[in-house]
Amino acid sequence: MPPREGGGHGGGHGTPPGRGNDELRLYGLNAVLALFERRPQALRKLYLAEAMIPRLQPLLKWCVANRVGYRVVEEGDLNKLAATTHHEGVVADVLRAPMLELANWLDGLPADKPVLALWLDGVGNPHNFGAILRSAAHFGVAGLLLPPGATLALSGAAARVAEGGAEAVPLVRLPELPQAMAQLRQAGFGLAATLVEGGDNLFASTLPARLVYVMGAEGEGMDRDLAQDCDLQVSIPGSGAVESLNVASATAVLLSHWYSQVGDARKASR
């Protein structure tokens, strides 16, 4: 069994290190394990409950080998560190993944192959954001596009809800609206506005292989001018028993419809 405290920098019994804007406090088992699998060098400090030692042996050994500090702490300490009881026995201070510029993201995409992306126009709730990330990872979304000036950023709550999806889907910063649309269309993308009502029936629509779904805010929905500038306007039909799906549920439906049309062809082309 590893010692109750180990690793290199950040060890000792003092208060947790301060975190700047480039750091994030992650919590939740799948969120931390996904970070370890994809970006272990981003780990700065690990806190865990004693019961998690067997499950996290590979991570603890990596911490020792790479002089990253870890501490075994009590449940109450984890609650304070995460500011929630929903930490699943592990909390980590990590460096944020850098946000990509649109041009760089486009340059890294496979040429002439199906690609799906999400443009988040005003989504702000961290739990919705986390649920969107989880669905996006499941359906192979290549990026989440955020408009200039967007305040949305990955939080510990969003990463936990995403269950590892936050590490699978990069965040992309868009330029101003006309330039963003021009760059996306030049790269072969169609843009589909997602409307609560008034759009074409999603399930009767044929979607382009390279598609950006533009998602509106939780309360106000999509900006109407932006919707009209898109190539398609789609709505999800339903029984009418409720006004609409929330943005996270709607996203899962939208992604699954594209995947049912294009996903199998994309897998076959790999």
Side-chain angles (χ1 to χ4, degrees), residues 215-235:
M215 309 298 301
E218 286 96 343
E220 299 82 8
M222 267 205 68
D223 178 89
R224 288 288 165 170
D225 290 336
L226 175 56
Q228 290 304 313
D229 285 340
C230 291
D231 306 300
L232 304 168
Q233 294 81 32
V234 297
S235 298

Side-chain angles (χ1 to χ4, degrees), residues 51-240:
M52 296 300 293
I53 291 175
R55 182 72 181 271
L56 295 176
Q57 279 282 350
L59 177 49
L60 296 179
K61 290 178 180 178
W62 186 92
C63 286
V64 171
N66 291 274
R67 300 183 57 79
V68 172
Y70 69 85
R71 292 181 63 185
V72 179
V73 298
E74 299 297 327
E75 184 81 8
D77 295 319
L78 289 172
N79 294 344
K80 291 177 183 176
L81 287 164
T84 177
T85 58
H86 301 297
H87 47 68
E88 300 170 356
V90 59
V91 176
D93 288 333
V94 306
L95 291 177
R96 292 182 180 275
M99 186 175 289
L100 301 177
E101 299 298 332
L102 179 60
N104 294 335
W105 177 74
L106 289 171
D107 287 343
L109 296 177
D112 301 322
K113 290 190 176 180
V115 179
L116 180 60
L118 285 172
W119 177 325
L120 302 185
D121 180 44
V123 175
N125 181 285
H127 289 86
N128 281 339
F129 187 33
I132 288 170
L133 280 165
R134 185 173 184 176
S135 294
H138 180 78
F139 289 110
V141 168
L144 295 189
L145 315 183
L146 303 179
T151 59
L152 186 64
L154 185 66
S155 64
R160 184 190 69 82
V161 173
E163 294 286 356
E167 290 297 322
V169 186
L171 302 184
V172 181
R173 182 186 291 107
L174 292 171
E176 294 300 326
L177 182 64
Q179 182 184 351
M181 286 188 155
Q183 286 183 248
L184 288 165
R185 287 176 173 134
Q186 187 175 5
F189 283 93
L191 281 75
T194 57
L195 306 178
V196 172
E197 58 183 14
D200 296 331
N201 183 334
L202 173 71
F203 303 126
S205 300
T206 300
L207 301 173
R210 291 169 79 89
L211 176 66
V212 177
Y213 278 125
V214 185
M215 309 298 301
E218 286 96 343
E220 299 82 8
M222 267 205 68
D223 178 89
R224 288 288 165 170
D225 290 336
L226 175 56
Q228 290 304 313
D229 285 340
C230 291
D231 306 300
L232 304 168
Q233 294 81 32
V234 297
S235 298
I236 300 171
S239 68

